[in-house]
C-alpha cells in the first residue's frame, strides 16, 4: 500500500519583482525588468520604484550591456513595437547619453530610476527618446556653429515629436496627486530640463526647472512652509532622495548663473540630511555637501541686511555667516582626508572630481566673505590669495584632465567612437572660470581665466562656454575702459603658466568703474539674445546708473537697450 504523498507548500518568495512574488517563483532580479518575466511574455511589475519601496543601486558590474535587450523587449511589449528610429535612439540613450550627459557625478536617478521608468511610463520613455535624439544630434554637430534652423531636418522633427508625446502623456499625472504621479512629473521635469539645455533653449529649460522646484517644495518641503489646504507631505525613500538630488544639482548650476529661485531655498527639502563627515566615502558624497553649502551661501548673499531694515537683523545674518564658514572648514578637512586616498580607494578620475570640488570651495569661500557688503566690489581685492589659489587649481585641472582627456588614449570602438560630445549635464569648471574673470580685478589673473575659457568649447548644463566667454569679455571691457585695447598685448603668457609675484600687481580699477548687481538673461534659442544688466557708479558717488546691454548671437554684436535709469 502506497503512502499518500505529503503536500509540499511553496516557500514564500521574499525578494524579486512584484510579478514573481505574486506567482511565488524565483526571480533572477534582472534590471530594470527580470528575464524570467520577459522571457515568458509577462509584464514585469518591477521592484517598487514608483511605489516607494527600496531599490538597490545598480553598479556597472551588475548591469551588463546585454540587459539593454531586456529593457528594449520590455518597452516594446508594454507600448508596442518601437520604430527603427526609436530603437536606435533608445540604444544611443542607453549606451551614450545616460553614461555621459549626467557627468561629472553619476547618480542612481539615471542609472536606475529612469531606465526602469521607461518600461512603465510612456511620458518617461518618450522624454528619454527626445533627450537621446538631441544628444545624438549635438554629438554629430560638435564644433559647428549653433544656429536656429528655420526648416527642421528629420532628426529635429523626430525629437520634437517625441517631446510633444512625452508632454501629452504627462497630463494625466499633472492632474493627479498620488505619489506615483508626483514621481513621474518630477522625473520628467529633470529630463526636460536636460533636453532644453542641450538644445540651447535656456528660457524653456528654466521654466521646467522652476516648475519642478516649486512642486518639490510643495511635496517635500518643511511642514511649516506647507499650505494647510493644498500642501502635500510625502515620506522620503531612496527614490525621493534620487529625485531631490537631481534637482539640487540643477538648481546649483542655475543659481550660479543667477537663474535660480533663491527665495524658494527655505522651502526646499534638505539634502543631504546628514552632517559633514570627517572624510567622504565617495566623490558623490563630497559633491552633495558642497551643493548644499553653495545654495545656502548664495541664499545668504541674497538676504544681506539693507539700510531700510526690511531684511533680517545684521546680528542674525553675521551668526549665519559664521556658521557657514565653520561648515566650509569642516568640508575642507573632510576633503583633505579623502584626497590622501586617491590611488587606493579612489581612482584618478575621482581625483579630478575632488580637485574640481576643492576649487568650488575656494570660490564660495570668497563669496561668503564678501556678501556682507554687496554694494562694495572693492571687497574682492582683499582675497588676492584666494583668487591666485583658484587659478592654480584650474591650471591643474586643465593640465591633467581638460587638455588630455582620458578617452583620447583609448582606441575607438563601436560603443565609443572617436567623436564624442564634450557636453555634460552638471557643473564643471566653466562657472569657476567665469567667476574668476568677472570678480578678480588683477589683470593677469582675469586674462588667464578668459584665455582658459576661450579654449573650452562645450556645455555644462545651463552653462555654455561660448555665452560665458561673451559676457565675461564684455564685463572686462566695460571695467577696463580705455585700457581694454591694450589687453591683447599683455596676453602673451602660456595658458598653463602660473603668474609670478611681479605679475600680481594690485588692482588698478577704481570703484566707480566696477559693475554691481549684474544679471545675465540667457537666450531662448541658439540664435537669440543675451542680456547683461548691471549697476554702474560712473564717477557718481551719490547713486548708481542701471544699464542694460544686449548681445545678438546671430549678428554677433552688443547694443545698448532702453533708457538708463538712476538708482
Amino acid at each position: 500500500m502506497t503512502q499518500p504523498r505529503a503536500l509540499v507548500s511553496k516557500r514564500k518568495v521574499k525578494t524579486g519583482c512584484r510579478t514573481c512574488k505574486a506567482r511565488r517563483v524565483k526571480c533572477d532580479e534582472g534590471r530594470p525588468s527580470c528575464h524570467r518575466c520577459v522571457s515568458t511574455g509577462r509584464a514585469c511589475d518591477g521592484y517598487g520604484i514608483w511605489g516607494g519601496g527600496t531599490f538597490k543601486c545598480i553598479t556597472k558590474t551588475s548591469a551588463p550591456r546585454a540587459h539593454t535587450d531586456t529593457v528594449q523587449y520590455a518597452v516594446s511589449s508594454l507600448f508596442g513595437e518601437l520604430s527603427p528610429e526609436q530603437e536606435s535612439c533608445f540604444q544611443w540613450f542607453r549606451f551614450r547619453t545616460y553614461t555621459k550627459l549626467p557627468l561629472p557625478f553619476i547618480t542612481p536617478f539615471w542609472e536606475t530610476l529612469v531606465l526602469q521608468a521607461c518600461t512603465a511610463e510612456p511620458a518617461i520613455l518618450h522624454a528619454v527618446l527626445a533627450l537621446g535624439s538631441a544628444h545624438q544630434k549635438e554629438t554629430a554637430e560638435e564644433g559647428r556653429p549653433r544656429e536656429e534652423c528655420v526648416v527642421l531636418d528629420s532628426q529635429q522633427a523626430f525629437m520634437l515629436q517625441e517631446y510633444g508625446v512625452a508632454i501629452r502623456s504627462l497630463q494625466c499625472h499633472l492632474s493627479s496627486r498620488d505619489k506615483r504621479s508626483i514621481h513621474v512629473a518630477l522625473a520628467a521635469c529633470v529630463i526636460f530640463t536636460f533636453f532644453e539645455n542641450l538644445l540651447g533653449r535656456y528660457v524653456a529649460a528654466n521654466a521646467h526647472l522652476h516648475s519642478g522646484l516649486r512642486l518639490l517644495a510643495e511635496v517635500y518641503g518643511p511642514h511649516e512652509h506647507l499650505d494647510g489646504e493644498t500642501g502635500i507631505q510625502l515620506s522620503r525613500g531612496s527614490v525621493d532622495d534620487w529625485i531631490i538630488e537631481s534637482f539640487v544639482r540643477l538648481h546649483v548650476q542655475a543659481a550660479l548663473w543667477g537663474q535660480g529661485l533663491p527665495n524658494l531655498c527655505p522651502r526646499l527639502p534638505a539634502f543631504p540630511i546628514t552632517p559633514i563627515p570627517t572624510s567622504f566615502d565617495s566623490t558623490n558624497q563630497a559633491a552633495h555637501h558642497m551643493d548644499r553649502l553653495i545654495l545656502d551661501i548664495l541664499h545668504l548673499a541674497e538676504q544681506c541686511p539693507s539700510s531700510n531694515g526690511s531684511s533680517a537683523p545684521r546680528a542674525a545674518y553675521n551668526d549665519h555667516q559664521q556658521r557657514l564658514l565653520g561648515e566650509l572648514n569642516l568640508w575642507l578637512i573632510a576633503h583633505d582626508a579623502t584626497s590622501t586616498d586617491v590611488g587606493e580607494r579612489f581612482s584618478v578620475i575621482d581625483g579630478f572630481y575632488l580637485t574640481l570640488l576643492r576649487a568650488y570651495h575656494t570660490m564660495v569661500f570668497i563669496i561668503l566673505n564678501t556678501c556682507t557688503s554687496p554694494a562694495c566690489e572693492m571687497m574682492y581685492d582683499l582675497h588676492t590669495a584666494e583668487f591666485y589659489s583658484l587659478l592654480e587649481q584650474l591650471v591643474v585641472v586643465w593640465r591633467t584632465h581638460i587638455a588630455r582627456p582620458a578617452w583620447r588614449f583609448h582606441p575607438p570602438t563601436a560603443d565609443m567612437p572617436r567623436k564624442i560630445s564634450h557636453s555634460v549635464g552638471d557643473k564643471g569648471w566653466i562657472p569657476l572660470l567665469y567667476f574668476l574673470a568677472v570678480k578678480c580685478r588683477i589683470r593677469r589673473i582675469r586674462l588667464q581665466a578668459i584665455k582658459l575659457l576661450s579654449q573650452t568649447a562645450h556645455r555644462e548644463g545651463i552653462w555654455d562656454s561660448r555665452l560665458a566667454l561673451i559676457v565675461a569679455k564684455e564685463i572686462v571691457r566695460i571695467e577696463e575702459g580705455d585700457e581694454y585695447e591694450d589687453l591683447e598685448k599683455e596676453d602673451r603668457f602660456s595658458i598653463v603658466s602660473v603668474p609670478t609675484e611681479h605679475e600680481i600687481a594690485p588692482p588698478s580699477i577704481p570703484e566707480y568703474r566696477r559693475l554691481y548687481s549684474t544679471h545675465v538673461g540667457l537666450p531662448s534659442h541658439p540664435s537669440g539674445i543675451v542680456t547683461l544688466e548691471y549697476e554702474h557708479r560712473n564717477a557718481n558717488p551719490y547713486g548708481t546708473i542701471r544699464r542694460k546691454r544686449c548681445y545678438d548671437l546671430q549678428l554677433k554684436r552688443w547694443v545698448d537697450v532702453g533708457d538708463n535709469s538712476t538708482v
Side-chain angles (χ1 to χ4, degrees):
M1 182 177 177
T2 59
Q3 296 293 326
R5 297 176 60 186
L7 294 178
V8 180
S9 61
K10 291 186 177 180
R11 182 180 298 176
K12 185 177 180 180
V13 179
K14 295 183 179 180
T15 62
C17 72
R18 288 171 171 170
T19 305
C20 290
K21 282 182 180 180
R23 296 176 59 218
R24 295 189 176 185
V25 297
K26 183 174 177 59
C27 178
D28 59 82
E29 300 189 36
R31 310 286 178 155
S33 302
C34 81
H35 182 68
R36 183 160 198 153
C37 288
V38 173
S39 63
T40 56
R42 291 180 172 85
C44 178
D45 289 336
Y47 304 86
I49 273 196
W50 297 119
T54 57
F55 190 80
K56 295 180 180 179
C57 177
I58 308 302
T59 61
K60 292 183 178 180
T61 56
S62 63
R65 292 189 171 184
H67 272 295
T68 303
D69 297 333
T70 303
V71 177
Q72 194 80 24
Y73 186 95
V75 169
S76 298
S77 64
L78 286 173
F79 307 123
E81 290 295 328
L82 298 180
S83 69
E85 192 169 11
Q86 288 175 320
E87 182 177 349
S88 172
C89 191
F90 189 86
Q91 293 282 5
W92 181 277
F93 174 84
R94 175 65 179 88
F95 286 133
R96 301 290 296 279
T97 306
Y98 103 97
T99 58
K100 176 67 168 67
L101 201 56
L103 291 175
F105 304 103
I106 291 290
T107 71
F109 176 85
W110 297 98
E111 283 193 308
T112 302
L113 184 60
V114 170
L115 282 180
Q116 170 102 16
C118 285
T119 68
E121 291 296 338
I124 303 300
L125 172 63
H126 291 287
V128 157
L129 292 176
L131 178 59
S133 180
H135 184 233
Q136 190 175 28
K137 183 175 179 62
E138 193 262 356
T139 303
E141 296 177 350
E142 185 78 33
R144 300 181 191 174
R146 303 164 192 166
E147 299 177 351
E148 180 74 4
C149 298
V150 178
V151 180
L152 300 180
D153 60 32
S154 59
Q155 189 167 16
Q156 288 174 316
F158 169 80
M159 74 174 72
L160 294 178
Q161 176 183 341
E162 295 296 327
Y163 186 44
V165 174
I167 291 177
R168 290 193 296 273
S169 301
L170 195 61
Q171 297 307 309
C172 62
H173 294 290
L174 297 178
S175 60
S176 175
R177 309 303 283 175
D178 63 273
K179 189 169 186 177
R180 176 184 177 122
S181 291
I182 290 171
H183 282 168
V184 173
L186 288 171
C189 267
V190 172
I191 300 172
F192 290 158
T193 303
F194 272 75
F195 173 79
E196 296 287 9
N197 279 335
L198 200 59
L199 293 183
R201 304 194 310 196
Y202 301 109
V203 174
N206 279 333
H208 286 303
L209 175 59
H210 293 175
S211 297
L213 287 171
R214 293 187 182 98
L215 179 58
L216 204 71
E218 181 182 350
V219 299
Y220 295 109
H223 291 278
E224 61 269 22
H225 293 289
L226 293 178
D227 187 321
E229 297 181 359
T230 60
I232 302 172
Q233 184 72 25
L234 293 185
S235 58
R236 282 171 60 171
S238 298
V239 173
D240 305 281
D241 282 340
W242 297 342
I243 292 173
I244 292 169
E245 175 190 10
S246 296
F247 273 102
V248 167
R249 291 188 169 173
L250 287 171
H251 193 200
V252 167
Q253 57 178 264
L256 288 170
W257 232 157
Q259 312 295 317
L261 294 175
N263 293 331
L264 194 66
C265 285
R267 298 172 50 199
L268 292 172
F271 185 86
I273 57 176
T274 56
I276 299 174
T278 55
S279 67
F280 297 117
D281 294 331
S282 66
T283 52
N284 260 349
Q285 187 184 37
H288 293 162
H289 287 282
M290 178 49 63
D291 285 343
R292 181 184 63 80
L293 286 169
I294 291 173
L295 287 177
D296 285 349
I297 290 169
L298 293 178
H299 178 243
L300 182 69
E302 290 284 336
Q303 302 301 313
C304 179
S306 59
S307 58
N308 59 17
S310 60
S311 300
R314 180 164 290 278
Y317 182 89
N318 291 339
D319 288 344
H320 193 184
Q321 183 192 38
Q322 291 303 312
R323 180 179 64 79
L324 288 174
L325 283 170
E327 291 191 38
L328 275 178
N329 187 54
L330 290 176
W331 187 94
L332 184 59
I333 292 172
H335 170 275
D336 292 345
T338 306
S339 297
T340 59
D341 290 334
V342 173
E344 296 180 5
R345 287 196 305 136
F346 297 97
S347 67
V348 175
I349 298 299
D350 289 326
F352 159 63
Y353 297 157
L354 289 172
T355 302
L356 199 61
L357 290 171
R358 177 65 177 85
Y360 273 98
H361 176 277
T362 304
M363 181 184 74
V364 294
F365 177 83
I366 298 172
I367 294 174
L368 184 57
N369 279 279
T370 56
C371 67
T372 55
S373 302
C376 182
E377 287 286 313
M378 302 296 286
M379 289 283 291
Y380 288 97
D381 296 351
L382 302 177
H383 296 278
T384 297
E386 286 78 18
F387 281 123
Y388 185 85
S389 174
L390 181 55
L391 178 60
E392 282 186 312
Q393 294 167 53
L394 294 176
V395 167
V396 169
V397 170
W398 170 266
R399 280 176 171 170
T400 57
H401 301 286
I402 304 297
R404 305 174 67 205
W407 63 268
R408 288 187 180 176
F409 300 98
H410 298 281
T413 64
D415 292 329
M416 183 59 70
R418 177 62 70 202
K419 187 173 183 60
I420 67 171
S421 167
H422 294 281
S423 296
V424 293
D426 206 348
K427 64 185 182 302
W429 81 331
I430 297 176
L432 298 166
L433 290 171
Y434 176 81
F435 175 80
L436 195 58
V438 302
K439 291 301 183 183
C440 179
R441 273 71 179 203
I442 299 172
R443 185 174 298 175
R444 171 64 171 78
I445 292 180
R446 76 187 325 185
L447 280 179
Q448 187 158 358
I450 288 176
K451 196 168 186 176
L452 287 166
L453 195 55
S454 68
Q455 298 299 311
T456 305
H458 69 272
R459 292 188 182 98
E460 296 169 359
I462 198 173
W463 283 86
D464 186 321
S465 61
R466 178 186 57 150
L467 301 184
L469 180 63
I470 289 171
V471 176
K473 291 178 73 172
E474 180 64 6
I475 291 175
V476 173
R477 186 195 67 78
I478 296 171
E479 290 192 341
E480 295 285 345
D482 296 336
E483 298 177 13
Y484 181 76
E485 300 299 330
D486 298 328
L487 292 183
E488 291 187 2
K489 299 177 182 178
E490 300 181 27
D491 185 10
R492 296 177 180 174
F493 49 83
S494 168
I495 196 171
V496 294
S497 64
V498 177
T500 60
E501 185 175 349
H502 75 273
E503 291 179 300
I504 307 298
S508 59
I509 301 175
E511 183 176 5
Y512 70 85
R513 275 170 40 190
R514 302 190 183 198
L515 306 193
Y516 296 79
S517 304
T518 58
H519 180 266
V520 178
L522 299 178
S524 59
H525 55 84
S527 298
I529 303 294
V530 181
T531 62
L532 173 62
E533 296 182 66
Y534 59 91
E535 292 179 15
H536 205 199
R537 294 198 188 280
N538 198 23
N540 179 8
Y542 303 106
T544 59
I545 298 175
R546 189 74 183 174
R547 297 181 184 274
K548 182 177 180 179
R549 289 180 61 76
C550 291
Y551 185 86
D552 190 314
L553 292 170
Q554 190 168 15
L555 299 178
K556 298 182 179 180
R557 62 189 178 99
W558 286 95
V559 294
D560 286 311
V561 176
D563 297 329
N564 298 325
S565 57
T566 302
V567 180

